[in-house]
Amino acid sequence: MLQNKNDFEPLKVFSLLTGMYHFIKLANPDEAFRMLGAFVAPNGSTTTQVKILKEMTHKWADKLQRSYLTPHESLIAFKQVLFPAVVYPVAVMPLTEQECNDIMKPAIQALLKKLNIPRNTNRDLLYGPARY
């Protein structure tokens, strides 16, 4: 029985259209590959995508803290740059609320600091309707 991906031989396939051989790499079911902007594993595992999104938000938070952006510019950067980049792959992933909170936590904390809002402010106030 094959135990690791190094034991697999690439699959050799002949194309009738091009008249050439193509090699298809066989992968483990838990190995994720980037497909249409999201890292998807055949077995449905989301660990790779969560890890990549956490790294993305950590880098963004670090850059925001070191930037000279005004509070207004920081909010625009969050809404127009980071948020769409995180939401797009998450839309196709079955993530828990805790995983989503863990992904966004560093970015939210950096943004709150930039907006001069205490980090322990009740989230109901932050995410509530704007008219109140």
Side-chain angles (χ1 to χ4, degrees):
M1 181 171 168
L2 301 174
Q3 293 299 320
N4 61 33
K5 66 181 178 183
N6 295 332
D7 294 337
F8 293 111
E9 292 290 327
L11 184 62
K12 188 176 179 182
V13 178
F14 182 76
S15 172
L16 294 174
L17 293 174
T18 62
M20 297 174 57
Y21 283 98
H22 299 279
F23 294 94
I24 299 173
K25 180 186 169 201
L26 299 176
N28 291 329
D30 60 343
E31 190 175 353
F33 291 96
R34 186 176 181 151
M35 296 183 194
L36 297 174
F39 284 83
V40 180
N43 68 355
S45 173
T46 60
T47 53
T48 304
Q49 184 66 52
V50 170
K51 180 181 163 196
I52 289 169
L53 290 174
K54 282 182 182 180
E55 289 174 7
M56 180 192 309
T57 55
H58 277 284
K59 287 179 185 177
W60 189 88
D62 189 42
K63 288 178 184 178
L64 181 68
Q65 289 173 347
R66 296 179 187 188
S67 74
Y68 293 104
L69 295 176
T70 65
H72 181 69
E73 292 168 340
S74 300
L75 186 59
I76 291 172
F78 177 79
K79 288 183 176 181
Q80 300 298 321
V81 177
L82 180 70
F83 197 70
V86 172
V87 170
Y88 180 77
V90 168
V92 297
M93 295 288 188
L95 298 178
T96 65
E97 184 178 351
Q98 185 60 45
E99 286 174 322
C100 292
N101 290 339
D102 291 343
I103 290 169
M104 292 304 292
K105 186 175 182 177
I108 296 289
Q109 287 182 343
L111 180 64
L112 291 177
K113 185 174 182 181
K114 211 52 157 161
L115 296 175
N116 299 317
I117 298 173
R119 69 171 189 243
N120 57 355
T121 301
N122 190 343
R123 296 301 187 246
D124 293 336
L125 292 173
L126 295 176
Y127 301 130
R131 68 179 173 166
Y132 292 112

